[in-house]
C-alpha cells in the first residue's frame, strides 16, 4: 500500500506500533465503531444501551486508572510497602495507587513509589495491563531505583507505615493476592536473559504521550493466506487507510467490546481469533479546556483460519505485508511474552 497524500503507509504505521510509538491519528475521526454506533446497534436489537453515547473518560469521575510498580534490587528482592489505610492497615502490597489529574502513567508510578516507599525510581517498561469493565485499568510497570531512603516505621504517614525489600512476599500478610501474578511477570522479565531456554520478550515499552478524547482499542489483526502463506493485516478503508479502531464501552469487558466490533466487521459467524497482547499504549492528559483522559490500547489479534475462509462485511480489506514486516510480526507471534499481557478481570 503506497504512501498517499503525505500520510504514512500501513506498513510504516505498523513499524511505529511495534516500536511503541503513537501514530498521531485523530482517532475520533477514524473510529470505526463509536459508542454512539454501538448503542444504535443495541437498540436495533431491542437492547437498552447501558452507557451514554457521549461518555468521556475523566480521571476521578468516570474512569479509574491505577498504577502498580514491581521493582527489584540486586538480590532479586521485590519492593513492598505496608498499608496505612484503615481498611487494610498493617497488610503488605506493592507500591500502587490511583493516577491523579494531569499525570502521565509514568509520572503517577514515580510519585506512588516515592510516597509509599521513600525511594526514587525511573520507570523502564510496562509489564502488564489489567482491566475491569471498560472504565477501570491498572498499569503494571517496572524500573530501577535511582535514590531516596527506604521508609522506616519511624517515618510512617498516611501513605504507608514502612517499606522493605522482601525475597518471598508470601511470607507477609498481603492486602490481596492479586499482586502475586504480576510479581512473577516482573521476575521473569528482569531475569529474561538468564533463562536456560531464553524466549522472546518484548522490549522496553513505555506509554507514548498522545492525548485521546475517548478510550479506544486499535486492532492490529493478522491472518495467513493459505495459497502463499503470506501474512496479511486488516486495514479499515473508512476515510483513510488505518487500523480498525473501536471505542471502549465503559460498561463492558474489553473482550466483549472487541468481540462486538469483530461481529460488525466479519458478521455473526465470527472466525476463530484471539488477542495476542498489547503492542503499545497511548495516553497523555489533555490540557484545559478539553480535559479528558482517554487512552488507546494497540492490541495484536491473530486469526486461526486462513484468509480464504474469512469473509468481510465491514469497510475493510486485507493488506499483504512485506517479507521484512512479516518476519518481525512472525517473531512476535512465536512468543506469548513478546507483547504486553492484557488481563481482563471479571
Amino acid at each position: 500500500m503506497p504512501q498517499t497524500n503525505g500520510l504514512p503507509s500501513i506498513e510504516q504505521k505498523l513499524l511505529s506500533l511495534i516500536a511503541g510509538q503513537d501514530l498521531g491519528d485523530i482517532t475520533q475521526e477514524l473510529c470505526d465503531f463509536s459508542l454512539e454506533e454501538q448503542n444504535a446497534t443495541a437498540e436495533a436489537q431491542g437492547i437498552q444501551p447501558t452507557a451514554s453515547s457521549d461518555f468521556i473518560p475523566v480521571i476521578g469521575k468516570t474512569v479509574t486508572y491505577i498504577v502498580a510498580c514491581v521493582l527489584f534490587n540486586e538480590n532479586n528482592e521485590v519492593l513492598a510497602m505496608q498499608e496505612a489505610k484503615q481498611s487494610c492497615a498493617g497488610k503488605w502490597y506493592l507500591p500502587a495507587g490511583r493516577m491523579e489529574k494531569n499525570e502521565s502513567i509514568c509520572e503517577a508510578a514515580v510519585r506512588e513509589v516515592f510516597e509509599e516507599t521513600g525511594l526514587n525510581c525511573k520507570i523502564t517498561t510496562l509489564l502488564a495491563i489489567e482491566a475491569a469493565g471498560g472504565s477501570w485499568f491498572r498499569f503494571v510497570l517496572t524500573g530501577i531505583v535511582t535514590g531516596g531512603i527506604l521508609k522506616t516505621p519511624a517515618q510512617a504517614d498516611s501513605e504507608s507505615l514502612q517499606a522493605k525489600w522482601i525475597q518471598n512476599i508470601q511470607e507477609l500478610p498481603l492486602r490481596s493476592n492479586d499482586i502475586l501474578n504480576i510479581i512473577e511477570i516482573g521476575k521473569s522479565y528482569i531475569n529474561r536473559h538468564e533463562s536456560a531456554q531464553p524466549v522472546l520478550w518484548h522490549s522496553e515499552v513505555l506509554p507514548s504521550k498522545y492525548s485521546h478524547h475517548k478510550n479506544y482499542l486499535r486492532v492490529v489483526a493478522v491472518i495467513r493466506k493459505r495459497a502463499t502463506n503470506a501474512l496479511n493485516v486488516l486495514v479499515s478503508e473508512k476515510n483513510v487507510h488505518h487500523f480498525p479502531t473501536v471505542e471502549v464501552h465503559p460498561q463492558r469487558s474489553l473482550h466483549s467490546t472487541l468481540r462486538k466490533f469483530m461481529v460488525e466487521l466479519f458478521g455473526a459467524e465470527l472466525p476463530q481469533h484471539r488477542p495476542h497482547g498489547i503492542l503499545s499504549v497511548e495516553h497523555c492528559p489533555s490540557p484545559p479546556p478539553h480535559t479528558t483522559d482517554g487512552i488507546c490500547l494497540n492490541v495484536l489479534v491473530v486469526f486461526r483460519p486462513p484468509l480464504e475462509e474469512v469473509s468481510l462485511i465491514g469497510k475493510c480489506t486485507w493488506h499483504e505485508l512485506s517479507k521484512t514486516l512479516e518476519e518481525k510480526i512472525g517473531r512476535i507471534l512465536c512468543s506469548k511474552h513478546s507483547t504486553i499481557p492484557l488481563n481482563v478481570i471479571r
Side-chain angles (χ1 to χ4, degrees):
M1 189 174 296
Q3 184 168 326
T4 57
N5 300 326
L7 296 173
S9 69
I10 279 296
E11 298 218 346
Q12 288 171 316
K13 290 182 177 183
L14 185 50
L15 284 169
S16 293
L17 291 184
I18 293 172
Q21 302 167 355
D22 65 79
L23 298 186
D25 282 343
I26 306 172
T27 314
Q28 200 167 357
E29 293 182 7
L30 301 184
C31 182
D32 298 276
F33 199 31
S34 67
L35 199 49
E36 182 178 3
E37 291 168 321
Q38 293 173 53
N39 284 344
T41 298
E43 288 177 331
Q45 297 169 345
I47 302 171
Q48 186 66 29
T50 57
S52 171
S53 295
D54 58 1
F55 175 87
I56 302 294
V58 179
I59 285 177
K61 293 184 179 179
T62 60
V63 294
T64 299
Y65 298 157
I66 308 290
V67 291
C69 292
V70 188
L71 300 174
F72 297 92
N73 63 11
E74 63 277 6
N75 298 319
N76 215 29
E77 296 171 317
V78 69
L79 181 61
M81 51 78 70
Q82 191 175 31
E83 295 280 7
K85 291 191 290 287
Q86 186 175 359
S87 60
C88 52
K91 298 294 181 69
W92 289 81
Y93 208 63
L94 293 174
R98 296 175 183 241
M99 283 176 57
E100 297 177 357
K101 288 296 296 179
N102 302 317
E103 277 188 322
S104 71
I105 294 169
C106 290
E107 288 168 348
V110 169
R111 175 184 55 76
E112 287 290 348
V113 170
F114 179 73
E115 289 177 351
E116 296 184 343
T117 73
L119 299 181
N120 300 310
C121 72
K122 176 185 177 183
I123 301 300
T124 55
T125 190
L126 277 163
L127 287 176
I129 297 171
E130 299 174 316
S135 56
W136 187 99
F137 295 87
R138 181 161 73 168
F139 302 96
V140 182
L141 307 106
T142 191
I144 55 175
V145 172
T146 58
I149 300 174
L150 197 64
K151 184 183 284 189
T152 66
Q155 298 163 315
D157 56 20
S158 61
E159 297 293 341
S160 65
L161 300 180
Q162 63 173 313
K164 67 179 178 180
W165 297 100
I166 182 74
Q167 188 71 48
N168 181 8
I169 200 165
Q170 288 180 276
E171 295 175 356
L172 301 174
L174 298 180
R175 169 182 144 190
S176 171
N177 288 333
D178 67 343
I179 59 174
L180 296 179
N181 178 56
I182 58 180
I183 289 174
E184 287 306 310
I185 293 173
K187 280 184 180 178
S188 297
Y189 185 83
I190 296 300
N191 300 319
R192 64 194 183 281
H193 300 306
E194 300 173 11
S195 171
Q197 294 181 315
V199 296
L200 176 66
W201 279 84
H202 59 82
S203 58
E204 294 183 346
V205 181
L206 291 175
S208 58
K209 290 190 175 182
Y210 188 82
S211 297
H212 288 281
H213 188 62
K214 300 288 192 92
N215 282 350
Y216 299 104
L217 286 179
R218 183 188 280 123
V219 179
V220 179
V222 294
I223 195 169
R224 290 278 180 189
K225 189 172 184 178
R226 180 191 288 132
T228 60
N229 202 38
L231 197 63
N232 286 250
V233 67
L234 189 64
V235 178
S236 171
E237 297 183 306
K238 179 182 177 182
N239 297 329
V240 298
H241 289 132
H242 63 278
F243 296 113
T245 304
V246 57
E247 185 177 349
V248 173
H249 193 292
Q251 302 300 325
R252 293 192 191 127
S253 74
L254 294 188
H255 287 333
S256 176
T257 290
L258 178 61
R259 179 175 179 79
K260 289 181 183 297
F261 183 37
M262 288 300 186
V263 169
E264 285 296 304
L265 299 179
F266 296 95
E269 298 298 319
L270 197 56
Q272 189 174 355
H273 65 282
R274 63 176 177 84
H276 186 277
I278 300 294
L279 290 170
S280 59
V281 178
E282 300 169 16
H283 169 266
C284 185
S286 57
H290 307 293
T291 306
T292 62
D293 300 290
I295 58 175
C296 180
L297 305 181
N298 298 309
V299 59
L300 179 62
V301 173
V302 188
F303 278 84
R304 184 170 183 177
L307 183 150
E308 288 90 341
E309 296 178 10
V310 174
S311 299
L312 281 166
I313 63 172
K315 287 184 62 178
C316 288
T317 186
W318 293 107
H319 169 74
E320 185 175 317
L321 295 175
S322 66
K323 285 297 180 185
T324 301
L325 248 179
E326 180 177 339
E327 289 173 2
K328 283 182 179 289
I329 297 296
R331 287 195 295 271
I332 291 173
L333 296 177
C334 285
S335 173
K336 68 177 183 178
H337 300 295
S338 59
T339 52
I340 305 294
L342 173 63
N343 300 322
V344 175
I345 304 169
R346 299 187 182 279

